[in-house]
Amino acid sequence: MSAHRFLIWGGRGWIAGHLEALLQKQGKEVYTTTVRVEDREAVKIELNRIKPTHVINCAGCTGRPNVDWCEDHKEETMRSNVIGTLNLTDLCFLAGLHCTVFATGCIYQYDDVHPIGGTAYKETDPFNFTGSFYSETKGHAEEVMKHYTNCLILRLRMPVSDDLHPRSFVTKISKYERVVDIPNSNSVLTDLLPAAILLAEHGDTGVYNFTNPGAISHNEVLALFRDIVRPGFTWKNFTLEDQAHVIKAGRSNCELDSTNLENKLKEYGYVVPEIHEAYRLCFERMKAAGTQ
Ligand SMILES: NC(=O)c1ccc[n+]([C@@H]2O[C@H](COP(=O)([O-])OP(=O)(O)OC[C@H]3O[C@@H](n4cnc5c(N)ncnc54)[C@H](OP(=O)(O)O)[C@@H]3O)[C@@H](O)[C@H]2O)c1
């Protein structure tokens, strides 16, 4: 067993569960906690109790049933996504600990300089999507947190698991009555979570667009789902304007440039497949597991 000791915050969350299982599968020493990240004294005690070498922050206020919740619960959202996230990072810094934060790439939207199919957003581009309060808290927190020298910020987007968990992007769009059809960067967890562990174990820091390379549209995802997993599946589209009538907060649509991530992972001999290929592989695993 390695000398690394992982402590995952937000221990009962979806991504936390996947990471814990993966670390266990790799034979790593891993602990989880549900201590509130904004509670400075309790976080200090927890760090002292477990004595991790690596903290992974999977805690975040994501809203239930979705991010619309954050529009009406702004203080709670800030407490977790701004105060708490910074608090945990700061306490790790003071304790000399590496801290990986699962952030979001939903802080951008296509614009004239970054149109659909054009230049993708780099890590250094300032966030420009504040259409939802959830994204606003994440954008602001990242903007200051990136200056912590112990911190690795991984920007997930529309994460996808190999099963049909309700939080997976595929499950969501396959159940909506109507879906928009816009290319987006997505994160296939089976491809990306091992990369998060690699980066953390190497002590890497800074911000990474943490997605598979490329962008894929909703219709492309659903067509692959139909062709590989669920023959005969059908869906209906609607426009962004029509979508705006059924949601409270806006939703980000953008492509992130994953070149920095690809180059860094090359150093460790790890390759993340392009998003169309990644979905094909993901759906084949889903079919093989019989979870459809
Ligand atoms: N899933 C996505 O679509 C997506 C996309 C991009 C980024 N992310 C980010 O990735 C992270 C993990 O997401 P997820 O999908 O695994 O979400 P999740 O299933 O909602 O898990 C988040 C966990 O964080 C905990 N939490 C919330 N506020 C907390 C606080 N103040 N202190 C301690 N724990 C707290 C929640 O516990 P309680 O329920 O007890 O509050 C929950 O168990 C989040 O930061 C999220 O913003 C997710």
Side-chain angles (χ1 to χ4, degrees), residues 265-277:
L265 292 174
K266 241 182 238 161
E267 292 176 22
Y268 310 137
Y270 191 86
V271 178
V272 177
E274 193 275 335
I275 191 61
H276 295 80
E277 172 67 359

Side-chain angles (χ1 to χ4, degrees), residues 98-118:
H98 187 273
C99 181
T100 302
V101 180
F102 279 99
T104 181
C106 286
I107 56 173
Y108 296 111
Q109 60 185 345
Y110 287 118
D111 65 9
D112 292 345
V113 184
H114 309 87
I116 292 176

Side-chain angles (χ1 to χ4, degrees), residues 134-146:
Y134 166 81
S135 293
E136 207 179 331
T137 58
K138 292 280 189 175
H140 284 296
E142 188 197 291
E143 207 170 40
V144 286
M145 193 166 51
K146 69 184 180 196

Side-chain angles (χ1 to χ4, degrees), residues 13-15 36-38 58-60 62 64 80 103 134 138 159 167:
W14 178 53
I15 288 168
R36 306 316 288 176
V37 279
E38 68 275 16
C58 294
T62 54
R64 288 292 189 271
S80 295
Y134 166 81
K138 292 280 189 175
R167 292 196 65 70

Side-chain angles (χ1 to χ4, degrees), residues 9-18 33-39 43 57-64 67 76-81 83-85 88 101-106 134 138 154-160 165 167-169 172 187 189:
W9 238 279
R12 276 201 281 272
W14 178 53
I15 288 168
H18 275 281
T33 183
T34 56
V35 163
R36 306 316 288 176
V37 279
E38 68 275 16
D39 186 338
V43 170
N57 183 4
C58 294
C61 184
T62 54
R64 288 292 189 271
V67 292
E76 289 102 310
T77 306
M78 287 188 279
R79 201 169 298 129
S80 295
N81 294 355
I83 299 169
T85 303
L88 178 56
V101 180
F102 279 99
T104 181
C106 286
Y134 166 81
K138 292 280 189 175
L154 303 177
R155 293 170 164 175
L156 287 167
R157 272 212 91 226
M158 302 171 161
V160 182
H165 189 280
R167 292 196 65 70
S168 179
F169 178 66
K172 290 181 187 174
S187 306
L189 294 177

Side-chain angles (χ1 to χ4, degrees), residues 2 5-6 19 30 35 47 80 83 99 118 124 168 185 202-204 245 268:
S2 75
R5 216 173 148 88
F6 290 88
L19 254 182
V30 55
V35 163
L47 289 175
S80 295
I83 299 169
C99 181
T124 45
S168 179
S185 290
H202 282 88
D204 290 309
H245 294 303
Y268 310 137

